[in-house]
Amino acid sequence: MSISKQYIENSKKRFFSDPKSIDEIKRIREEAAKDPETFWSKEASNLRWFKKWDKVLEWNKPFAKWFVGGKINASYNTLDVQIDNKKAYIWIGEDGSRREITYNELYNEVNSLANGLKDLGIKKGDRVSIYLPMIPELPIAMLACARIGAIHSVIFSGFSVDALIDRINDAESKAVITADGGYRRGKIIRLRDTLEKALEKCRSVEHTIIHKRIGMNIDLKKNEYLWQDIARKGFCEAEEMESESPLFILYTSGTTGKPKGIVHDTGGYLTLADASTRWIFDINDDDVYWCTADIGWVTGHTYVVYGPLLQHATILMYEGAPDYPEPDVWWDIIEKNRVSILYTTPTALRMFMKLGDDLITKHDLSSLRLLGSVGEPINPDVWLWYEHVIGKDKIPIVDTWWQTETGAALLSPLPGIRLVPLKPGSSTYPLPTIDAAILDEEGREVKPNTKGYLVIRKPWPGMLLTIWKDDEKYKQVYWSKFEYYYTGDYAMIDEDGYFWILGRADDVLKVAGHRLGTMEIESALVSYNAVAEAAVSSKPHDIKGESIVAFVVLKTGYSKDGVIDALKEHIKNTVGAIAIPDEIFIVDKLPKTRSGKIMRRLLKAIVSEKQIGDVTTLEDEASVSEIINAYEELKRAL
Ligand code: WT7
């Protein structure tokens, strides 16, 4: 019996779900599918609108406008309508320090910064880049932008100079909000210094606002201000935004050298963030909810900021790495703060599995009642371990599949509606109205249990509006392979209709859950003076899911000595530490087809230690003998 069949058999005898719920969920989905617009207009009505929409959806394929004519504000919905003394954030610093911020305080902080931004002349539609570590000022800055209608573009604080330049310039940001520094494993990361280097190449930025996190002495330059100096106490009117106006841009990696600015609207995004958080996490008033994602990625946007704030949840935020300062710091935090919902990544779980169960079992985790996973496929054995060691076989696990582009989770168990029996490694079913299908290369639906490409056939609220300033690229990347939205993922539907995500079908890497493009890393490698050519691939890694492997050809006259270390340092200083390859091979030439294309799949097969027989069928553009020659040659060189 397959692991999934066996699990569903067992789960019938077990705790949290009744197999009848499959029929109930199916019925709810069928009902919603008959009239998605009515379905979503009911969901949108849970939010506060300054003006109700005239039309639920304007679908001018592939461009969707949701709740057209409606006026709404994200900061108003998360704050003004629910000011009280409930804790919004419990923040825990790497050094154990603690800050608690009530909804009332959050509201005041957001208003003060919003006033300050306005005083600087930041207006509706202006872009503001935010380069902050995991501290409460990050959500405050996002909400302050949202309040005045400025579009925020958060840049992960682990990114470095070149990554900043690309993102700030593409968005043409008028201001950047940063900190003097942040902490990472006890070390200070000097954010403002890195930003300053980047700004030498960014013309659009008129103001830099610096929050003093570390308390360094800052010698302010022209157009640099301290957060505390510009923040002005008092009420700041929330701008009435058209539903389809952008709330934020978030850059993500694709198959080209440059990151894409994924643009999200306001009304549709908030509707999906709100509904999905309610259905998936079902947060009650006394829950302490912890999504471990960094706000620099989309998971943090939707499930550390907008989604849970809309539920009036108490949200835990931890500044540090999962195993710093102590390897059991997470479990200590859960015990001490009575965390009831934990949403994390397979990479973190695999790391803890390796560290040993004692770290976990020595803590009282009885407050937990729901577990979640996100960002990459979760292996069934990790899922079962999560259920057993952390959940004590009593707590359901929601595996949520989604992407920066989808705005929020689209495939997930929905305990807030009906919890279906779970299968380890499956994200179960699509949310109501989400028309997910698996297609073959020709665009035909595949049979059950067959691998194919995951597409979404109908628009949904929260879907990306476009790629910033590049409608053509938006069409080409997502809407040209099939007549539907193409996710870039392989997936399969089993005989029970459960979805299984099988990894990326393109050159996007998922390293420790972080999304990186092979081309992006290649161009960073080539920007190093000794490098003539580079090709990046990945191989399976037992903790990080995938690890980066790079092949480089040096320019003539450059010696190999010290190059590998220098290249790693170079990647760290340009893209950021997350993009440093685990292995770099210096080779004389890269395997290419006659037309000059790098044989990427051959590289992948070689680093994954596949045999030559598995390799010859991989490249469509090369002959078998070419592949064998290239394979042999490269093997000899490694
Ligand atoms: C890619 C999107 C989900 C928000 C954070 C990542 C992979 C994501 C799952 C999952 C298997 C998953 C996909 C997707 N992915 N969640 N539950 N099971 N794979 O957003 O950085 O835009 O990455 O992450 O490959 O396409 P992202």
Side-chain angles (χ1 to χ4, degrees), residues 583-601:
E583 289 163 271
I584 300 178
F585 295 109
I586 299 177
V587 292
D588 293 334
K589 62 178 203 186
L590 296 172
K592 287 187 190 162
T593 63
R594 250 164 301 173
S595 62
K597 270 183 67 177
I598 295 171
M599 298 187 198
R600 293 179 176 283
R601 292 184 219 182

Side-chain angles (χ1 to χ4, degrees), residues 252 297-299 343 373-378 399-405 411 425 427 487-489 501-504 508 510 513-515:
T252 191
W297 309 98
V298 77
T299 309
Y343 186 34
S373 173
V374 65
E376 45 179 327
I378 178 164
D399 176 19
T400 63
W401 173 88
W402 58 297
Q403 312 179 294
T404 305
E405 292 87 343
L411 300 176
S427 46
T487 62
D489 276 343
I501 305 296
L502 304 172
R504 296 291 307 194
V508 168
K510 280 264 136 175
H514 300 318
R515 179 163 160 183

